[in-house]
Amino acid sequence: DWSSDVCSSDLVSVMDFIPVGTNISSTDVSSYIQAAHDYIVSTGKQGTLVFPAGTYKCDSGLTIQCSWVSCLGQRAKLDFSALGDVAAITFTAGSGNLVAGNPWNQATFVFEGFILYGPSTTTGTAMYLNERTGGSLGGPAHTIFRDFQITNFKTGIYFGNHTYINFFDHFDIWNVTTGIWFPVNDL
């Protein structure tokens, strides 16, 4: 169990949300990671979710709101090998909850220092940059993705229809069927 005094700074460790003694490489910790993310969003302040070095078993996909939460991996491997044919990480701006209502505030978002390991080269998407399905400003924009690796997925990075001005630096996509996908979309 956690409380607001556990995570009182702008840096929040996922380890503060994972029960002590949990073997993170063999126990599904995706719900704890999502809870840590959701905690930052609930504060109404931007913050950084820190992943200490190690392998994190994730049997469910994660949703990261780029307006609120940066992700810093310290040589962290997110193991989505049991995930199935869905997105491992969906990056979104949220629906109408942009910081101060300004999409350019996402420019402070960084996703850095991860290895994303997937289920197979015929299944799953590593990074899904969310599409707009209604309303406005549904996808990530003005964001920085750097120092990461994607392997063993059907699709490495899928760009949605409201994803723009994103910066990618120093990354590796290998052993995937499609590295980067820009689908035609009529929205």
Side-chain angles (χ1 to χ4, degrees), residues 56-112:
Y56 298 80
K57 182 174 174 26
C58 297
D59 292 347
S60 297
L62 304 171
T63 299
I64 305 297
Q65 291 190 18
C66 301
S67 299
W68 299 100
V69 182
S70 286
C71 297
L72 176 60
Q74 299 169 325
R75 296 181 315 264
K77 178 180 180 181
L78 302 181
D79 180 0
F80 292 100
S81 59
L83 186 60
D85 199 16
V86 295
I89 303 177
T90 298
F91 295 95
T92 183
S95 298
N97 63 348
L98 296 173
V99 176
N102 186 341
W104 293 276
N105 283 328
Q106 293 177 72
T108 61
F109 172 81
V110 175
F111 178 82
E112 165 178 21

Side-chain angles (χ1 to χ4, degrees), residues 131-181:
E131 296 181 71
R132 185 182 79 173
T133 56
S136 63
L137 302 171
H142 305 272
T143 56
I144 299 169
F145 298 87
R146 64 180 172 221
D147 300 325
F148 66 91
Q149 179 186 93
I150 293 172
T151 186
N152 209 44
F153 282 92
K154 179 179 177 182
T155 304
I157 303 171
Y158 181 112
F159 282 84
N161 67 355
H162 253 56
T163 299
Y164 58 96
I165 312 178
N166 289 286
F167 303 92
F168 288 83
D169 183 37
H170 194 250
F171 66 97
D172 186 17
I173 300 175
W174 62 282
N175 197 35
V176 299
T177 301
T178 302
I180 299 173
W181 181 246

